[in-house]
Amino acid sequence: MTELQYIGKPARRVDALEKVMGKAKYIADRKLPGMLHARCLRSEAPHALIKKLDVTPALAVPGVRAVITSEDFFEHSLFGFPVKDEYVLAYRKVRYVGEAIAAVAADTPEAALAGVQAIVCELEPLPGVFDMEHALDPDAAQVGPDRPDDQHPNFLDLLIVRQADPLAEIEQCAVKLDERYSVGPQEHAYIEPEGALAVPTREGGVLVYAPNQSPFVNYGVLAMVLDLPHNLVRVIQPPVGGSFGGKDDQIYQMSAQVAKLALLTGKPVRLVYSREESLISSYKRDPMHIRIRLGADSDGTLRAVKFEGLMDSGAYASESTFTAWRGSIHAMGAYRYNACAVDIKCVYTNNGYYGAFRGFGNTEVCAGIEQAIDELACAVGMDPLDFRLKNCLHVGDRTAHGQILTESVGLPDCIKTVRRLSDWDRKRAAYANQTGNIRRGIGVAALYHGTSLGAEGADYAGSTIAVEQNYSIDLTSGLTDYGTGSRTVFTLIAAEELGVSPDRIHMQRPDTDTAIESGPTVASRSTMLGGNAARVAADNLRQTLDYAAADLLGCELHQLVRSGEAYVGPDEEPVAWERVVDHAREMGLALSAHGKWTAPRIEWDHHHGTGTPYMAYHFASQVAEVEVDMRTGVVQVVNFWAVHDPGKVIFPQGAYGQVYGGVAQGLGYALMEQITYTNGYLQETNFESYLIPTSVDVPEITAQFVEAPFSKGPYGAKNIAEPSMVPAAPAILNAIYHATGKRVRDLPANLERVLLGHDLAKGGSAKACKLGLKT
Amino acid sequence: MARFDYVRAHSIAEALQLLGEAGLISRPLAGGTDVMVFVRNEKPPFDRLVDISRVPEMKIIERRGDEVFIGAAVTFTEAEQNALLREVAGCLAEACRSVGGPAVRNAGTLGGNVANAAACADSLPALACLDAVAHVRSLTGERSFLLNELIQGANRTAIRPGELLTHFTFPVPPAGVRSAFLKLGRRNAQAISRLSMAAAGRLDAAGRVDYARLAPGAAMPRPQRFTEVEALLLGQAPTDELLAAAGAKTAEVMIGVTGRRWSTEYKEIAIQAMAEQTLRRVLCQ
Amino acid sequence: MLIEFTLNYQPIAIEAPPDVTLLHLLRDHLNLTGAKEGCSVGECGACSVIMDGRLVNSCLVLAPQAHGSEIITIEGIHAPDGGPNDLQENFITYGAVQCGICIPGMVVAGEALLMRTLTPTRTEIRTALAGNLCRCTGYQQIVDAIEATAVQRRQAS
């Protein structure tokens, strides 16, 4: 391969300029003439029947233009994927505090609030389910929808992995472990609260601007619940102020609400959440209770694992079945086993609701398994890093799912590199026998993380590319850049492929009228799927231009070489790229192209828990160094090293940024981010109580890449966004153990858990939620 | 229609006129870091805010004889950066530096922190440790309070409608006295104190404690010095054993006042460490 | 009520209700949407502006409190030609921008720091940003960008 010009070289993020100037227009910054303001009536009860819902008093409030309920939608606004159990506005029942019941559009936000307060809504409380351990009790109240089978209606799904008989294998092992771990919910805490803006069109349709993760999913939901033909629905993506998995179904609900209100009033309608509304009504990362049994030989050979997880999906399925599947696939960690069994069960409760969040199941299970591996290493008497190195996956190994890894396994190199960078061996020894009140510790975690959707569904993406009149190039993708940098990645790939400067390329935000449907923007799939689609589109366009260049230069295709953007033929006189474009036009060639890339087909057998879950995996190892105050439980993360194998790095600043940001989110997950539902009422309703790391909580992070290229990835690239976060929490927890000699097996490791070994319950109330829904 | 009106005062006299005006309820506004959050969530219990944040007399920090005078509209940033306070009231400067983040410190004021009277307010233990007196004026006169008299409980003070907390005074600590403040939160900035601790102390020529002050924060319904702990320290050499005893006594006094609550299991241990660490800083370094 | 102040170096007079925040005055009355509303309670810093030389959360400033003040918003921070200044350029170069919603506040906080000192340590930079939450970047490249700007301005002065 000739040397790459743009891939892997420092680059300017395509949307950075408008953002640093304060000119980027997020949803809350967009105002249209005559625009109405929407607001939702939300449930103040965790579980109740809607006995009466009368919106006519609201319509009498000055300034109120329209009020809608589930009656205004097709099939009472039922939607949801993969499980259709959710409503755009609640129908007959509410299942969590904050669930939207009705929506009002009014001239001002104040009038909208007055309208909401005028709605007559009588809720008849039902018994709630607030403890997932009891969700499937025979007498537990029914939260989930009716089922066709004889399963409890609060049962959502069970995901399994099976290879041989781990319990029998563990019996034979010299060293055994049987421990329980738990992870709490986590809020995405994007700094931009959710919003949506709908504009009615002349044709009787609707145009929606929404910071959604997946505009084409939104488009499908809108057409369905509004009962409109697809050609009357259009979704355009504005800049997204952070998402991390969080701007999926919640945004589709809001989009449908404003779309219906816009259709009814004939005016643009915007809905923007307050922070309280966002925290109370949006889904979070699911909490999980975990039991892990492991067995190893006395020489440290890992032999068997049994992982049992119970996951709360809250009031609705959202993406919990995907989360649970992805959790099950990664639950055993990146190691070789003779025998493995994973069971992850998810259930309905009335604790808000839970959905996708960066790591998508792996963040949860990794916190468990990477602590368990650490504990087992200690029980064997081995250095935990050596133990991982001894048992981790290499090229040629067979995973617990039965998949042979034929290429792109950078894990051993990641572990060795992080050992060197962190000065592991010296520090591990130095911190072994401390006695003071302030103690240091160093801990490691390893990771693998499947790329893209895997065997969950059809995995493809599309891109379009066209040369414009002014010789600039328009590039589209059906995937969203919600801050990750994927638009820059696509730009660099297209530039490399075409041999033109990235400055020429205008990478559009998705618009369902012009972009190609590409599936959801989830699961760290943009670089691989969207990148390959951009590569294919650009390659198709380049072939046309090469053909024109050969014609212009009077030579064969294989005689063409490039000098910068220019084409050079046998006479060695460079011809400007623009001249080739002009010539192509004169030849009547179309200077636009499509690209579609579909991932290789892989199969997973859900019934037998075996197969090939993913085409490739990201590998990583992270090391955390902490300082613990033994008498207050205060933990400072003082150093952090993250070594990742994302395949080929396309956009270096972006890749480093993903690692730094992922580690920061993992640090918050490990130490301070706590969500508490008290009888279904959220206690942390703004950022004064839901704490995320500040600039003085996150240490200087050393990141490095081990680039083990994947043959099917664009230029060998795999993925980076989710995996950067996943191992951070267990690395920190393992470091805390190294410092203190005490395990904190429940996240977050807050002051009380670190000092006392258990959390303290303050008791809560409905007050913050009820206040928060009125601000 | 506006939910409340706004008027700016340019002097204490004008502020008092405005606050005392009959027929409407007026309340002072300084940095807004508490008031603005409150009115977002709740119906304003006033008709008008009287902005006292720029009243020159309330921005003064100076030594007046044997006392230090601090205007109530002094911001945390101004207090933290003030050379006099850094010299004679390190615990107060450090407490002000620990509040919120830079923007909150640039707006929030000492007077507001005290008048809002949150149990976790960071300036309270420092002011209590300094034996600060709060001066409250109205059109009819001035009243002065020690902090534990002014503050009657969480978010409750003795300040009456029409009154304005104008300034604080505290005696300049004797030469050689050092003071310090420690804060314990769930993160390193923008954090509500789980516990805080202000201490002051000095050793005599023989190396024995001849001056001791200790006031915890976020531990008690109202700020107070722990005189039992101070008594235990006086006349003793600051050995590890003495500091440990002082820490244990601090926990004992706290529980004596608050009883055992949900957080006591944690605070009982942590407050000992906080007391020891703070005292170590003022007595042993 | 009539509120008169200096906004981005220009005198301005605007009629507004007395109970709106400076943030709403900027966003809804003056159509300056660079300052963002992230929490409305002074916790996230997305609404940061510089008021009389100091960084403040505009969501906690009552609009009439700005009367007589000098306010600088992100719209007032740029190079003489209207393009990015050195700090903004460094934000781009160092990869400090992801979703971007906190970035106007971060640039404002960075400028507020650099107005006071051109020799900040990385710890001092982090302390100066401690009231500005970012959920994407882990802060590191933001610190890099401010540090690099301080060095460049020091060398230029």
Side-chain angles (χ1 to χ4, degrees):
Chain A
M1 190 187 272
T2 54
E3 202 192 331
L4 297 171
Q5 286 195 73
Y6 306 113
I7 302 282
K9 304 283 164 58
R12 292 167 71 87
R13 205 190 149 91
V14 299
D15 53 1
L17 180 61
E18 60 172 6
K19 288 174 175 177
V20 298
M21 304 306 289
K23 289 179 178 166
K25 294 285 181 196
Y26 297 84
I27 196 73
D29 305 331
R30 287 172 189 239
K31 255 189 276 187
L32 293 171
M35 185 179 83
L36 303 178
H37 300 265
R39 183 151 183 147
C40 287
L41 171 70
R42 296 185 179 280
S43 172
E44 291 192 9
H47 197 198
L49 291 173
I50 301 172
K51 294 305 285 184
K52 184 177 180 190
L53 183 57
D54 180 6
V55 302
T56 45
L59 289 165
V61 171
V64 170
R65 300 300 184 99
V67 187
I68 54 170
T69 69
S70 64
E71 299 298 327
D72 293 286
F73 294 90
F74 178 70
E75 282 191 341
H76 300 104
S77 74
L78 185 63
F79 80 107
F81 182 79
V83 181
K84 214 170 162 182
D85 66 351
E86 205 173 336
Y87 295 89
V88 169
L89 291 166
Y91 173 57
R92 291 177 52 199
K93 261 180 87 166
V94 287
R95 293 176 174 82
Y96 76 99
V97 174
E99 181 166 0
I101 299 169
V104 174
D107 295 340
T108 62
E110 294 74 21
L113 177 59
V116 164
Q117 287 168 341
I119 295 171
V120 177
C121 176
E122 288 174 17
L123 298 180
E124 180 183 305
L126 294 168
V129 177
F130 305 117
D131 180 354
M132 63 170 144
E133 295 285 352
H134 292 288
L136 301 182
D137 288 356
D139 60 347
Q142 177 175 351
V143 184
D146 292 332
R147 292 185 67 98
D149 56 18
D150 58 359
Q151 291 267 23
H152 197 295
N154 294 342
F155 171 79
L156 176 57
D157 209 354
L158 173 68
L159 287 307
I160 61 165
V161 178
R162 292 284 182 271
Q163 184 198 318
D165 181 353
L167 291 184
E169 182 95 10
I170 290 170
E171 267 313 300
Q172 301 166 1
C173 288
V175 187
K176 305 181 181 69
L177 173 127
D178 183 355
E179 275 299 347
R180 290 170 191 274
Y181 307 87
S182 76
V183 291
Q186 186 181 24
E187 160 66 22
H188 305 81
Y190 21 71
I191 307 300
E192 178 205 37
E194 298 85 342
L197 166 61
V199 187
T201 64
R202 286 173 199 279
E203 296 78 23
V206 67
L207 161 61
V208 172
Y209 297 91
N212 39 211
Q213 288 198 181
S214 309
F216 283 94
V217 177
N218 197 1
Y219 165 79
V221 171
L222 284 166
M224 177 177 71
V225 300
L226 297 172
D227 199 16
L228 282 175
H230 280 75
N231 64 328
L232 290 183
V233 176
R234 181 177 180 186
V235 178
I236 297 180
Q237 180 78 57
V240 186
S243 180
F244 318 109
K247 286 176 177 166
D248 237 323
D249 26 337
Q250 186 75 205
I251 298 284
Y252 312 146
Q253 266 179 336
M254 299 173 76
S255 296
Q257 290 158 3
V258 290
K260 187 73 204 181
L261 290 166
L263 288 167
L264 287 174
T265 58
K267 288 172 174 291
V269 180
R270 192 183 70 186
L271 172 58
V272 174
Y273 282 178
S274 67
R275 179 57 57 187
E276 289 88 349
E277 200 171 13
S278 170
L279 268 152
I280 295 166
S281 66
S282 76
Y283 61 87
K284 324 226 173 295
R285 183 192 300 285
D286 47 89
M288 194 185 283
H289 293 172
I290 297 167
R291 180 184 182 187
I292 298 174
R293 281 174 275 187
L294 288 171
D297 292 332
S298 50
D299 72 348
T301 304
L302 192 53
R303 287 178 55 182
V305 57
K306 183 166 173 66
F307 183 109
E308 293 160 281
L310 176 66
M311 198 180 114
D312 192 348
S313 181
Y316 293 102
S318 186
E319 300 200 23
S320 289
T321 58
F322 288 148
T323 309
W325 181 72
R326 301 175 73 84
S328 73
I329 298 304
H330 297 102
M332 71 297 294
Y335 306 101
R336 291 182 303 269
Y337 294 97
N338 295 337
C340 165
V342 178
D343 293 79
I344 296 181
K345 188 187 290 181
C346 45
V347 297
Y348 288 105
T349 69
N350 299 109
N351 296 322
Y353 79 118
Y354 301 108
F357 192 155
R358 192 179 203 168
F360 218 171
N362 197 6
T363 312
E364 296 86 321
V365 298
C366 188
I369 190 69
E370 280 300 309
Q371 285 194 81
I373 290 289
D374 226 63
E375 297 199 54
L376 189 67
C378 290
V380 168
M382 267 178 85
D383 176 283
L385 195 144
D386 282 329
F387 185 85
R388 285 174 172 84
L389 209 46
K390 180 181 174 73
N391 292 289
C392 75
L393 294 167
H394 291 64
V395 169
D397 281 344
R398 185 187 176 90
T399 68
H401 327 93
Q403 178 178 5
I404 307 286
L405 299 174
T406 56
E407 61 168 324
S408 190
V409 183
L411 184 54
D413 282 346
C414 288
I415 297 175
K416 289 174 195 160
T417 306
V418 83
R419 162 176 248 156
R420 179 173 49 78
L421 289 176
S422 64
D423 197 7
W424 171 269
D425 294 285
R426 188 188 64 76
K427 286 178 177 166
R428 194 77 193 172
Y431 303 155
N433 296 301
Q434 299 167 86
T435 52
N437 287 330
I438 306 291
R439 296 188 197 166
R440 288 223 171 183
I442 186 164
V444 65
L447 159 96
Y448 77 149
H449 189 90
T451 57
S452 196
L453 301 179
E456 273 174 311
D459 207 2
Y460 56 87
S463 227
T464 71
I465 195 163
V467 182
E468 301 300 316
Q469 284 303 316
N470 62 356
Y471 305 100
S472 69
I473 295 167
D474 262 15
L475 179 64
T476 76
S477 170
L479 297 174
T480 303
D481 183 343
Y482 39 88
T484 56
S486 59
R487 288 171 72 209
T488 307
V489 166
F490 301 158
T491 300
L492 296 174
I493 288 172
E496 189 74 50
E497 204 65 37
L498 280 169
V500 301
S501 163
D503 296 340
R504 243 184 227 289
I505 298 176
H506 294 157
M507 176 70 221
Q508 308 296 324
R509 291 194 178 89
D511 172 342
T512 55
D513 269 11
T514 57
I516 298 174
E517 199 269 318
S518 299
T521 315
V522 297
S524 306
R525 65 191 288 269
S526 291
T527 295
M528 174 100 83
L529 274 290
N532 264 328
R535 182 183 56 77
V536 172
D539 184 56
N540 288 340
L541 176 62
R542 186 184 51 77
Q543 288 184 37
T544 305
L545 288 166
D546 285 359
Y547 178 73
D551 188 71
L552 179 66
L553 295 168
C555 66
E556 299 296 323
L557 280 172
H558 67 84
Q559 293 175 295
L560 290 172
V561 289
R562 300 292 293 273
S563 169
E565 291 190 328
Y567 279 86
V568 185
D571 67 358
E572 298 187 1
E573 269 302 302
V575 174
W577 186 79
E578 287 86 345
R579 265 200 69 202
V580 175
V581 169
D582 288 340
H583 187 71
R585 286 177 177 146
E586 284 159 15
M587 292 170 73
L589 299 174
L591 291 183
S592 63
H594 284 198
K596 182 167 182 182
W597 194 77
T598 303
R601 191 167 174 80
I602 45 179
E603 299 289 346
W604 179 254
D605 181 339
H606 277 271
H607 294 290
H608 298 98
T610 182
T612 298
Y614 296 101
M615 58 184 156
Y617 298 85
H618 175 114
F619 296 90
S621 185
Q622 297 183 347
V623 166
E625 183 174 353
V626 302
E627 195 171 87
V628 184
D629 186 328
M630 298 296 289
R631 301 181 68 199
T632 60
V634 171
V635 175
Q636 302 289 349
V637 181
V638 293
N639 276 306
F640 206 97
W641 300 266
V643 180
H644 286 255
D645 163 22
K648 175 69 186 170
V649 171
I650 307 277
F651 171 32
Q653 292 107 314
Y656 283 106
Q658 287 299 309
V659 174
Y660 302 145
V663 169
Q665 282 186 7
L667 186 153
Y669 189 52
L671 298 179
M672 66 183 76
E673 295 186 31
Q674 192 151 6
I675 286 284
T676 318
Y677 283 101
T678 304
N679 295 324
Y681 291 92
L682 181 69
Q683 301 303 304
E684 296 83 7
T685 58
N686 205 325
F687 284 154
E688 90 293 337
S689 46
Y690 189 75
L691 305 183
I692 65 172
T694 71
S695 53
V696 289
D697 296 296
V698 182
E700 298 288 338
I701 297 161
T702 304
Q704 196 159 310
F705 296 111
V706 165
E707 296 173 291
F710 175 52
S711 57
K712 297 184 180 63
Y715 296 90
K718 296 187 287 191
N719 59 347
I720 182 74
E722 293 179 294
S724 60
M725 162 175 200
V726 174
I732 291 167
L733 288 164
N734 290 336
I736 292 173
Y737 170 74
H738 188 230
T740 66
K742 288 191 292 184
R743 278 276 164 201
V744 180
R745 297 189 181 89
D746 304 300
L747 263 63
N750 59 22
L751 299 172
E752 291 82 359
R753 282 173 170 149
V754 173
L755 184 67
L756 306 171
H758 58 88
D759 204 7
L760 296 178
K762 131 174 101 177
S765 75
K767 188 181 169 219
C769 270
K770 289 186 174 176
L771 268 181
L773 290 175
K774 292 181 176 64
T775 51
Chain B
M1 208 187 73
R3 295 193 299 161
F4 52 83
D5 202 359
Y6 167 93
V7 62
R8 184 177 295 178
H10 301 87
S11 66
I12 291 177
E14 187 187 1
L16 295 178
Q17 286 292 339
L18 291 165
L19 288 168
E21 202 174 310
L24 79 173
I25 304 170
S26 297
R27 288 282 183 274
L29 168 70
T33 54
D34 289 313
V35 175
M36 296 300 288
V37 175
F38 182 83
V39 299
R40 171 174 163 71
N41 290 313
E42 320 243 5
K43 190 171 155 10
F46 47 78
D47 307 307
R48 183 172 70 180
L49 287 173
V50 177
D51 184 355
I52 47 103
S53 64
R54 298 180 187 211
V55 170
E57 308 142 83
M58 294 176 69
K59 302 289 287 178
I60 293 166
I61 306 174
E62 66 184 19
R63 188 173 175 144
R64 292 186 178 173
D66 293 337
E67 285 192 332
V68 175
F69 176 103
I70 307 176
V74 166
T75 66
F76 295 114
T77 301
E78 288 160 351
E80 178 231 313
Q81 294 176 348
N82 182 269
L84 174 64
L85 293 184
R86 284 184 170 195
E87 185 196 332
V88 304
C91 63
L92 183 59
E94 289 176 8
C96 291
R97 194 178 310 147
S98 80
V99 172
V104 168
R105 293 196 291 275
N106 286 339
T109 63
L110 276 175
N113 202 226
V114 170
N116 187 55
C120 56
D122 288 318
S123 69
L124 295 182
L127 288 168
C129 181
L130 294 164
D131 282 336
V133 173
H135 301 266
V136 173
R137 275 176 65 183
S138 69
L139 288 174
T140 55
E142 177 174 331
R143 304 194 292 156
S144 302
F145 300 88
L146 279 172
L147 231 42
N148 67 339
E149 296 163 348
L150 182 80
I151 292 172
Q152 301 179 324
N155 301 109
R156 284 190 299 123
T157 70
I159 303 170
R160 297 179 190 136
E163 285 187 324
L164 177 66
L165 172 57
T166 55
H167 64 282
F168 304 94
T169 53
F170 62 84
V172 175
V177 168
R178 298 192 340 189
S179 73
F181 175 87
L182 280 186
K183 171 168 175 162
L184 173 61
R186 294 193 184 275
R187 65 180 172 190
N188 294 331
Q190 300 274 102
I192 295 166
S193 285
R194 286 295 282 132
L195 278 173
S196 60
M197 189 69 64
R202 187 180 65 182
L203 301 182
D204 64 15
R208 295 179 194 284
V209 178
D210 73 349
Y211 185 96
R213 295 273 189 278
L214 186 82
M220 315 283 283
R222 42 164 105 180
Q224 64 179 76
R225 278 173 45 199
F226 277 19
T227 48
E228 299 92 327
V229 180
E230 296 167 6
L232 182 149
L233 292 162
L234 285 173
Q236 308 291 318
T239 58
D240 288 351
E241 293 72 24
L242 181 73
L243 296 180
K249 191 76 182 172
T250 305
E252 185 190 318
V253 174
M254 174 185 73
I255 294 168
V257 175
T258 63
R260 297 198 78 88
R261 311 171 54 198
W262 71 272
S263 58
T264 306
E265 186 183 352
Y266 173 78
K267 286 190 173 178
E268 183 177 11
I269 301 169
I271 201 170
Q272 297 190 38
M274 295 280 289
E276 274 187 55
Q277 282 174 35
T278 320
L279 288 167
R280 196 177 296 281
R281 274 188 57 202
V282 299
L283 296 173
C284 303
Q285 284 173 10
Chain C
M1 62 192 300
L2 186 69
I3 303 168
E4 292 177 83
F5 60 107
T6 304
L7 177 59
N8 296 329
Y9 313 102
Q10 301 289 324
I12 186 170
I14 182 159
E15 195 66 41
D19 65 339
V20 300
T21 62
L22 176 58
L23 176 61
H24 281 208
L25 186 79
L26 293 169
R27 290 181 57 85
D28 299 336
H29 297 255
L30 294 163
N31 212 22
L32 294 178
T33 57
K36 309 298 181 191
E37 183 158 25
C39 71
S40 324
V41 294
E43 290 287 339
C44 77
C47 67
S48 295
V49 302
I50 297 171
M51 183 170 176
D52 297 326
R54 295 222 185 252
L55 185 73
V56 296
N57 293 310
S58 62
C59 72
L60 295 184
V61 176
L62 204 54
Q65 286 188 290
H67 184 81
S69 291
E70 288 183 21
I71 305 286
I72 300 170
T73 70
I74 186 66
E75 288 85 357
I77 297 172
H78 50 73
D81 67 356
N85 74 6
D86 50 353
L87 178 62
Q88 290 161 319
E89 191 60 42
N90 280 326
F91 266 65
I92 301 172
T93 306
Y94 285 84
V97 180
Q98 289 189 33
C99 90
I101 196 84
C102 74
I103 291 299
M106 289 291 183
V107 171
V108 168
E111 286 292 356
L113 171 70
L114 296 174
M115 282 176 183
R116 293 203 311 278
T117 173
L118 291 181
T119 54
T121 62
R122 285 182 75 87
T123 304
E124 285 164 351
I125 295 170
R126 285 180 179 272
T127 301
L129 301 177
N132 291 73
L133 296 178
C134 172
R135 191 57 156 168
C136 294
T137 65
Y139 305 101
Q140 190 149 318
Q141 290 152 308
I142 296 174
V143 176
D144 293 344
I146 295 172
E147 185 181 39
T149 309
V151 170
Q152 289 161 4
R153 288 190 189 177
R154 213 154 63 216
Q155 285 164 352
S157 65

